[in-house]
Structure formats: C-alpha cells, structure tokens
C-alpha cells in the first residue's frame, strides 16, 4: 500500500487494540493478562496482532499472556522482535503454538539464544513445525552453563532458515548448525566465526548464505574460495564487508574469476571490498544469465552499461542514481553502507535543478533523522552547508511533509550559526524568497501551524545582525506581507512576537528605517506597546522598533509630529510598567545594537528600552552578559548616564540597578560603589 494512502480498517483496528490492551484484559494470578471477551481470531489476524504489539512497544511479560489462549488466538508466524520478554513468558505464551516462523531478534531483556532453543525444543508442536528462526543481535548464553546449548540446534529437524547475525556465535555453534538436515538459508553476519569449513556438511542443501561483516575469519583465501565453490546449490551469496576496505588478498577477484562455480546464483553481494574491476564482474554476470542482483557498493565496479541497474539485473552501487536507490533499499540496516550511499547521493544530486520523485522518500528520512534536538544542538557537523542544502531542497519540492520538516530543521540550524555564517546565508536572496513564500502560503489559508512558526523563526534568525538579509526582506516585499500578518494574526501573540522580532532587526539598520516609517504600521506597533493584555515578549519588540525609529541616530522622523511625541511618551510610561518574564525571552551575540540608544542625546523612552533589555539579559545570564557589557565598553556609557545632569531620574534608577548587578558578578569582593 502506498505510504500516502489511508490506513486499512485492519491496521486501524489493531492499532486501537494495542492502545487499549490493558483496559480490555483481566489480570491473572501470575500477573499476565487475558482478554475479557475474546472472539476466535483468524490465524493471520492473530499473527498480525502479535506483530503490531511488538512494533508499538506494548508487548511484554504481562500483555503476551493473551496468547496463552490457544483456542482463540492461534499463532503460526510470531514476530516479537525488539520487545521486552523474559524467558519464562516467552516459553509459556509462544512455544505451545504450532509456530512455523519466529523472529525474536533484538529482544530487550536477558532472553538468550540458549533460552529460546530450550523453550522451542521442549514443545513438540513448535519443534516439529518451525521452519524459520531469526535471533539476530542476541547473546548465545546467559548465566547457564555453555554446554547446555550443544545439541539444541540439531534438534530442530524441520528448520530451513536460520539467522544469527550480530550474535556471539562461534565455530562450535556453526558445526552444530551445519548438521541440521533441512537447513537451506543461513545468516551468520558479524559473528565470531573463524572457519567456514563446517558449511561443507550442508553443501547439498544450502541455497542462501550471508556472511556480511565476518571480521574474525581466519581462513586462507584459497580455503575460503574452495568452500564456497563446493556450495553448488547456492542461489544467494552475500560476502560483503562492512569495513569498506581494499581487498588485499583479492578474495572477490579470485572468486569471480574461478570458472565453473556458483552457476545457479541469482544474487551476489560483494559490496565493501574495494578494488574489484568492471571487466571481472561483467564476465561473471554474463556467464550466469539468471542473475537478478549484484551488490557493488564501494568496490569501484559498476560503471559498465551491463551493470547500470536499469534492466532485469538490479545493482546496488554508486555509479548512478539507480544504483544508489537500490543500495538504499537493500542496506537500510547497514550503517557503514548507508553512510557511503549518502555521500555519493550528495555528489549526484548537488547540482540537480528539478525534483527527483524516486529519492524523495530518502530525503524525507534524512530530514526526519535531522529532526532531533541532540543532533541539531550537540553533534558537530557543517550546519551552514546543511541549512543551505535544505533550503535548496525546499525550492525544488512542494511536498508538505518535506516542507514541514525542512523549515523546522532550518529554523534551528540558523539559530546555531555564527554571525559570519548568517551573513553569508542571508546574502542568498533565494532563501529569503522561499521562506517568505511559505509564510504567504500559510497566511493565505489563515492557519497557525508549526510550519508557519518555524518559517517565521528562521526569517527572524536570518535577519539578526545581518543588514544584507534585511535588505532582501524589503526587496522581496516582506514588509508588505508582515504588515498584513500583524493585522490578521493580531490575537496570536506567538506569531506577533516573531513578526516584530524581525522588524526590530530591520529597524536596527539605520538606512532601512525609512522603510518602516508607515503611519498605519507605527500606530499598530504602538497599540501593542501600550496594551496591558499583550504579553511582555510582544511589547518588548514593539518597543524596540519604536525606540529605533525615534532615535536621534539615522534618518529623521518622517511622520506626524504629534505621533512622534506620543511614541516617545508611551515608550517611557509603558516600559516602567513591565515586569520581567521568568522565561528566557531573548538572547544576543552582542549588545552593540543597544549602545547608540544609550547616548545622552536620546529621549528617556529610547534609553529606558535599551536599559530594560540589558538589565533583563544580565539578570537571566549574568556571567555571559555582564562580561560582554564590560568587554564591549557598555559600562562606560552607563557611568555617563548615571552622572550626567540631564539624565532622567527613571533612567538613572535603571542604570544603578544594572551597575549593582555588574558589581555583584564581576567583582563580588569589591564594594558596589567601585563600579559606579
């Protein structure tokens, strides 16, 4: 089913059952649960319920008890991977069933391979019917004696498929496994196996062998090739290397060049072995017309027309996008391979102009991975380049899911960039245009969602101390759009704050202040400043815009003189009524934008706004901002204000408060007077 399609009724019903399983059950004496009213489940539906409970993370020792009802819930395919089950709960609930398949990989408990084998072999129904067993990522033994395992594999007489990838399986276990009479498929990737010679005991029946990442193998290359050559029924062979190293012993080259072996292969994976030639691979494939897949990632091969991956032969490689997409599908659980694919994918898509639907799902997954606070805030990577790439992605895609995630990631990335990096990013006009387009799109629908908020935050951060970005904002008709939004989102204070925050950045640029000299705009901002119902976060930025517009620095006031007087008066009176919010409202890389507003020639309202801001950040984060204020020379301006005869008494009071904060934090052993 297409991922964009609505969920099926079955999926919806199973999801509901998982969410309410505890409510629908009654607790037994042993602590396990049983359904109060349980109909007879079709066998396939019972399998799906168990799988869904494991997937949703609700399968545990209590809830698995519902499957002890063998009459109404009959299991054949038990998928319990990544669940939390003890050995006892596993034995009681699952092993009485006539299981044909069991996937117990990566169970989050002390359940071991030995526990599972003992439980299975103790049940005749399960032991005789089981054909597929997956136990990837588990430990072989617990505290019990290791000798208890020795005969367990051989007792699974009907087992055809066994997977023990990334377990601590050793040579003795492989010897036991290879005596299983029906074994056709074996995965021993990443185990401690040193010798594959025991595989010769099942040469007449083994059809699929996966030995990815066998780093402890000690066999000579000639011996390994001899063993593989004798597995004449093999249709699927995976000898890929997760370390992506040069094939120093020419294992792959020798294997491919050896005539008359592995003639029935349908798929071969040699990814990760560097130094393989196109000619050798092509000759091998041409001699086996039944082949449908070959893995060549990080081998150096795959450039020939036969190996392009467009025909019936699928190729996982790096030579073109088709190969890379195939590699993404095949190697989703192989970290080193995915890293390699993403590196090459970037190279192939970096200069693309149009959207690529075939890699859109990958891009969604990449963005989803980046949507992690830990990655965005802590993990070191080139945030500037990432932000630029994601913005380019936004320009090429109208997909709403991509848009939502991309805007969220960019918003956080921009906030983590240096001033220089923001300036470089802000110089890219296409970024401003794209973000404003998203805001326009959301505003036209009248919605308030995360995409709108993140887009506004990104624009706000992008214009912070970046005159070039502020100019782009004006040139892209951003001001006209924001004036509309201030009206239409008047009651949405979270939106108002982001709008005014950006306009405050524009107001800091002296040459752009005339663009803000619009009577309707100024009156609207003034109404927010003086409205006691409006949050301080919003009133603060409203005051900042008005303080910059009425500053004696920059262009002269170009509007009505009476409005000018009103703004100055209301700035003074409103700021005196503000109380500091408990949360961190703003943060600054520098306090330089405030210093021109502290000049003795400024009106008291302008001075008060700058002082209130300085006092607030110094109170919130004294070590950072007190030191910044002293280093940048702000303390000298404060001393001038505190001693000048023309300084308003309210201004002096606020200055003295700041100087006291500085005295307590920069020189705690000295008298406060020394700082004044």
């Amino acid at each position: 089913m297409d991922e964009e399609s609505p969920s099926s009724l079955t999926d919806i019903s199973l999801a509901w059952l998982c969410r309410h399983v505890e409510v629908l059950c009654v607790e037994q004496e042993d602590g396990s649960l049983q359904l109060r009213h349980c109909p007879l489940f079709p066998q396939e539906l019972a399998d799906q319920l168990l799988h869904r409970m494991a997937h949703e993370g609700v399968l545990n020792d209590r809830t698995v008890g519902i499957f002890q009802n063998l009459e109404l819930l009959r299991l054949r395919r038990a998928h319990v991977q990544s669940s939390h089950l003890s050995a006892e709960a596993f034995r009681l609930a699952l092993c009485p069933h006539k299981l044909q398949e069991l996937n117990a990989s990566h169970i989050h408990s002390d359940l071991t391979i030995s526990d599972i084998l003992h439980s299975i072999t103790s049940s005749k129904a399960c032991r005789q019917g089981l054909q597929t067993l997956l136990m990837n990522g588990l430990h072989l033994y617990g505290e019990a004696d290791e000798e208890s395992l020795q005969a367990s594999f051989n007792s699974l007489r009907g087992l055809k498929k066994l997977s023990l990838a990334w377990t601590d399986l050793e040579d003795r276990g492989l010897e036991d496994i290879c005596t299983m009479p029906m074994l056709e498929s074996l995965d021993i990737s990443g185990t401690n196996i040193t010798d594959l010679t025991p595989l010769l005991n099942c040469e007449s029946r083994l059809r699929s062998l996966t030995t990815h990442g066998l780093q402890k193998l000690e066999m000579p290359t000639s011996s390994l090739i001899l063993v593989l050559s004798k597995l004449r029924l093999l249709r699927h062979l995976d000898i890929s290397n997760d370390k992506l190293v040069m094939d120093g012993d020419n294992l792959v080259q020798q294997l491919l060049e050896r005539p008359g072996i592995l003639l029935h292969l349908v798929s071969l994976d040699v990814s990760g072995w560097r130094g393989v030639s196109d000619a050798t691979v092509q000759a091998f494939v041409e001699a086996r017309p039944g082949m449908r897949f070959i893995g060549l990632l990080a081998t150096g091969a795959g450039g020939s027309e036969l190996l392009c991956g467009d025909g019936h032969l699928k190729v996982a490689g790096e030579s073109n996008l088709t190969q890379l997409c195939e590699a993404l599908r095949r190697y989703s659980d192989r970290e080193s391979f995915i890293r390699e694919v993403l590196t090459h994918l970037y190279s192939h898509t970096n200069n693309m102009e149009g959207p690529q639907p075939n890699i859109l799902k990958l891009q969604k997954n990449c963005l989803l991975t980046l949507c992690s606070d830990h990655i965005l805030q802590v993990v070191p990577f080139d945030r500037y380049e990432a932000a630029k790439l994601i913005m380019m992605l936004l320009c090429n895609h109208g997909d709403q899911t991509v848009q939502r995630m991309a805007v969220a990631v960019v918003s956080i990335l921009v906030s983590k960039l240096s001033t220089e990096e923001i300036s470089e990013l802000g110089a890219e006009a296409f970024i401003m245009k794209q973000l404003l387009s998203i805001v326009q799109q959301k505003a036209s629908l009248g919605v308030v969602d995360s995409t709108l908020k993140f887009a506004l935050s990104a624009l706000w951060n992008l214009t912070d101390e970046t005159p070039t970005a502020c100019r782009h904002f004006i040139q892209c008709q951003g001001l006209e759009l924001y004036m509309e939004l201030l009206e239409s989102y008047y009651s949405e204070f979270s939106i108002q704050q982001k709008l005014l925050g950006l306009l405050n950045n524009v107001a800091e640029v002296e040459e752009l202040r005339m663009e803000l000299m619009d009577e309707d705009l100024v009156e609207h901002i003034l109404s927010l400043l003086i409205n006691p119902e409006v949050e301080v976060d919003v009133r603060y930025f409203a005051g900042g815009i008005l303080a910059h517009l009425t500053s004696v620095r920059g262009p002269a006031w170009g509007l009505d003189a009476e409005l000018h007087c009103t703004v100055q008066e209301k700035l003074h009176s409103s700021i005196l009524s503000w109380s500091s919010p408990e949360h961190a409202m703003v943060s600054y890389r520098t306090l330089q934008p405030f210093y021109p507003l502290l000049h003795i020639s400024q009106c008291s309202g302008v001075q008060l706004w700058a002082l209130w801001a300085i006092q607030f950040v110094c109170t919130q984060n004294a070590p950072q901002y007190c030191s910044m204020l002293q280093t940048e020379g702000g303390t000298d301006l404060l001393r001038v204000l505190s001693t000048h005869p023309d300084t308003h008494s309210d201004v002096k009071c606020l200055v003295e408060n700041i100087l006291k904060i500085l005295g307590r934090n920069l020189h705690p052993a000295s008298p406060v007077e020394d700082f004044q």
Side-chain angles (χ1 to χ4, degrees):
M1 185 175 65
D2 187 270
E3 63 176 3
E4 302 296 334
S5 300
S7 300
S8 68
L9 181 58
T10 299
D11 285 338
I12 294 172
S13 301
L14 291 176
W16 187 90
L17 275 173
C18 290
R19 289 195 301 270
H20 299 88
V21 64
E22 298 258 358
V23 179
L24 298 171
C25 292
V26 59
E27 187 172 359
Q28 305 298 298
E29 291 184 1
D30 62 358
S32 65
L33 301 180
Q34 287 289 320
L35 289 169
R36 298 176 187 273
H37 306 288
C38 183
L40 174 61
F41 272 62
Q43 176 259 310
E44 290 186 3
L45 196 60
D47 292 343
Q48 291 180 50
L49 176 60
L50 177 67
H51 189 185
R52 188 62 178 261
M53 289 174 66
H55 179 74
E56 298 289 341
V58 298
L59 188 67
N60 51 47
D61 284 2
R62 280 169 51 80
T63 58
V64 77
I66 67 175
F67 294 97
Q68 292 186 36
N69 189 336
L70 303 184
E71 297 298 321
L72 301 177
L73 286 164
R74 294 170 296 180
L75 298 173
R76 291 294 180 270
R77 296 173 176 82
H79 291 233
V80 296
Q81 63 269 37
S82 303
S83 57
H84 295 76
L85 293 179
S86 65
E88 182 68 5
F90 175 86
R91 182 183 65 81
L92 291 175
L94 301 181
C95 291
H97 293 270
K98 296 179 180 180
L99 295 180
Q100 296 174 355
E101 296 180 12
L102 172 61
N103 186 347
S105 299
H106 306 290
I107 285 184
H108 303 299
S109 70
D110 295 330
L111 186 66
T112 65
I113 292 174
S114 179
D115 293 331
I116 292 173
L117 290 175
H118 278 296
S119 297
I120 292 173
T121 54
S122 67
S123 168
K124 181 179 179 181
C126 190
R127 181 178 69 245
Q128 292 180 341
L130 194 64
Q131 297 180 20
T132 298
L133 177 58
L134 313 180
M135 297 184 288
N136 301 329
L138 301 185
H139 288 292
L140 205 55
Y141 311 106
E143 300 298 325
D145 185 1
E146 294 186 6
E147 296 297 327
S148 63
L149 175 69
Q150 193 158 3
S152 298
F153 281 111
N154 187 41
S155 61
L156 301 178
R157 312 298 290 177
L159 198 68
K160 294 182 178 181
K161 180 178 180 179
L162 176 63
S163 183
L164 297 168
W166 308 105
T167 67
D168 48 2
L169 181 72
E170 297 178 339
D171 292 341
R172 186 177 59 178
L174 181 62
E175 293 173 2
D176 181 35
I177 288 168
C178 291
T179 63
M180 297 166 64
M182 302 292 288
L183 187 65
E184 296 179 354
S185 175
L186 178 63
D187 186 345
I188 50 174
S189 301
T191 59
N192 297 330
I193 300 296
T194 66
D195 188 351
L196 295 181
T197 304
L199 292 175
L200 295 175
N201 291 327
C202 48
E203 63 177 286
S204 63
R205 54 189 180 276
L206 200 61
R207 297 175 181 274
S208 177
L209 175 65
T210 303
T211 62
H212 169 72
L214 276 190
Q215 299 301 329
K216 296 189 177 182
L217 208 58
E218 297 176 355
M219 298 177 70
T221 298
S222 57
S223 300
L224 176 57
I225 292 177
L226 179 63
V227 170
L228 295 177
S229 68
K230 289 183 177 296
L231 302 177
R232 58 185 184 277
L233 295 183
L234 273 185
R235 295 173 60 81
H236 307 277
L237 175 61
D238 183 348
I239 57 170
S240 55
N241 190 334
D242 64 325
K243 298 300 182 183
L244 284 70
V245 296
M246 182 61 68
D247 187 3
D249 296 328
N250 291 321
L251 165 65
V252 175
Q253 198 79 5
Q254 291 185 50
L255 180 69
L256 297 180
E257 291 176 346
R258 185 154 182 166
I261 67 169
L262 304 173
L263 296 176
H264 300 291
L265 276 188
V266 173
S267 71
L268 171 67
D269 201 331
V270 295
S271 291
W273 291 106
R274 302 190 189 276
V276 181
S277 72
D278 258 6
T280 302
V281 175
Q282 184 159 327
F284 184 87
V285 171
E286 288 175 340
R288 294 158 183 81
M291 285 195 67
R292 294 295 178 265
F293 169 75
I294 187 164
L296 298 174
L297 182 68
T299 63
S304 69
E305 185 175 350
L306 176 66
L307 302 175
C308 69
D310 288 331
H312 67 273
L313 179 66
K314 302 302 179 185
V315 180
E318 70 244 24
S319 295
N320 56 51
L321 278 177
T322 301
Q323 292 182 3
L324 287 168
C325 288
E326 185 68 26
L328 285 170
R329 284 190 288 270
R330 297 268 180 173
Y331 301 141
S332 61
D333 59 345
R334 298 184 178 181
E335 180 182 344
S336 61
F337 285 5
I338 288 295
R339 249 194 335 261
E340 185 78 1
V341 171
L342 293 177
T343 300
H344 288 285
L345 191 63
Y346 169 72
S347 300
H348 280 280
T349 59
N350 191 29
N351 296 317
M352 283 186 173
E353 296 182 358
Q356 295 289 324
N358 58 332
I359 61 172
L360 180 60
K361 184 176 181 180
L362 159 72
Q363 291 169 328
K364 288 181 181 179
N365 288 334
C366 290
L367 286 171
L368 189 60
T369 302
L370 278 177
C371 286
S372 158
D373 283 339
H374 179 75
I375 291 176
L376 293 173
Q377 305 279 0
V378 179
V379 175
F381 65 98
D382 191 337
R383 288 174 171 81
Y384 168 78
E385 188 64 23
K388 191 171 178 180
L389 287 171
I390 293 172
M391 287 308 307
M392 292 171 65
L393 175 66
L394 267 176
C395 291
N396 291 329
H397 287 295
D399 184 274
Q400 293 298 304
T401 304
V402 169
Q403 185 187 84
R404 182 174 65 252
M405 292 189 293
V407 171
V409 171
V410 165
S411 174
I412 297 173
L413 286 178
V414 173
S415 70
K416 304 298 290 185
L417 299 180
S418 67
T419 303
E420 294 74 19
E421 288 173 325
I422 290 179
S423 296
E424 290 182 33
L425 203 62
E428 302 284 353
F430 82 92
I431 294 179
M432 181 65 66
K433 290 179 181 178
Q434 186 61 36
L435 289 172
L436 287 173
S437 174
I438 292 172
V439 171
Q440 174 69 65
Q441 175 190 351
K442 293 295 180 180
S444 66
L445 300 174
V447 299
V448 179
D449 61 10
S450 60
T451 302
L452 174 63
K453 290 182 178 180
F454 278 124
L456 292 173
S457 294
L459 286 163
W460 183 5
N461 289 325
L462 195 63
T463 54
D464 185 27
E465 299 175 50
T466 314
T468 303
C470 291
R471 292 188 197 97
H472 286 322
F473 173 79
I474 298 296
Q475 293 164 2
C476 296
Q477 286 75 52
L479 181 57
E480 291 83 352
L481 173 61
Y482 270 45
M483 289 174 65
E484 293 177 9
L485 297 181
L486 284 170
E487 293 287 346
S488 55
Y489 288 99
Y490 185 82
S491 61
E492 295 287 344
F493 293 150
S494 64
I495 301 296
Q496 294 276 325
Q497 181 194 22
K498 300 177 192 301
L499 297 173
L500 294 175
L502 183 145
L503 294 180
N504 187 70
N505 290 340
V506 175
E508 289 178 2
V509 184
E510 291 184 8
E511 64 188 80
L512 297 179
R513 287 176 189 165
M514 285 303 297
E515 302 288 345
L516 301 176
M517 291 289 187
D518 179 274
E519 191 165 320
D520 290 337
L521 175 62
V522 171
E523 288 182 346
H524 180 90
I525 295 173
L526 181 60
S527 70
L528 292 171
L529 173 73
I530 64 177
N531 187 348
E533 300 298 322
V534 174
E535 296 178 359
V536 173
D537 308 52
V538 176
R539 300 173 74 188
Y540 169 77
F541 289 109
I545 297 168
L546 297 175
H548 285 295
L549 293 183
T550 55
S551 168
V552 296
R553 298 280 297 268
W557 180 265
L559 301 177
D560 180 71
E562 184 178 349
L563 179 60
H564 184 253
C565 293
T566 303
V567 167
Q568 290 181 322
E569 176 191 338
K570 296 301 182 184
L571 265 174
H572 189 123
S573 59
S574 296
I575 292 169
L576 290 177
S577 67
W578 292 355
S579 57
S580 298
E582 296 181 359
H583 59 277
M585 187 175 67
V586 287
S587 62
Y588 294 101
R589 295 182 175 88
T590 175
L591 297 176
Q592 292 284 356
F594 297 107
Y595 300 150
L597 306 181
L598 297 179
H599 196 272
I600 195 63
S601 61
Q602 300 283 13
C603 74
S604 60
V606 171
Q607 294 170 338
L608 282 172
W609 180 82
L611 290 169
W612 190 93
I614 292 172
Q615 176 184 257
F616 175 75
V617 294
C618 286
T619 303
Q620 289 285 315
N621 190 344
Q624 177 182 347
Y625 291 107
C626 289
S627 175
M628 184 185 295
L629 193 62
Q630 185 179 41
T631 303
E632 294 178 348
T635 51
D636 295 334
L637 294 171
L638 295 177
R639 291 191 185 97
V640 171
L641 279 177
S642 68
T643 58
H644 199 282
D646 294 337
T647 303
H648 194 284
S649 59
D650 292 333
V651 172
K652 282 189 175 183
C653 181
L654 208 48
V655 168
E656 290 170 1
N657 288 342
I658 297 173
L659 290 174
K660 288 178 182 178
I661 296 173
L662 291 171
R664 288 196 300 267
N665 288 278
L666 295 180
H667 301 284
S670 303
V672 173
E673 288 78 8
D674 291 351
F675 226 88
Q676 295 179 338

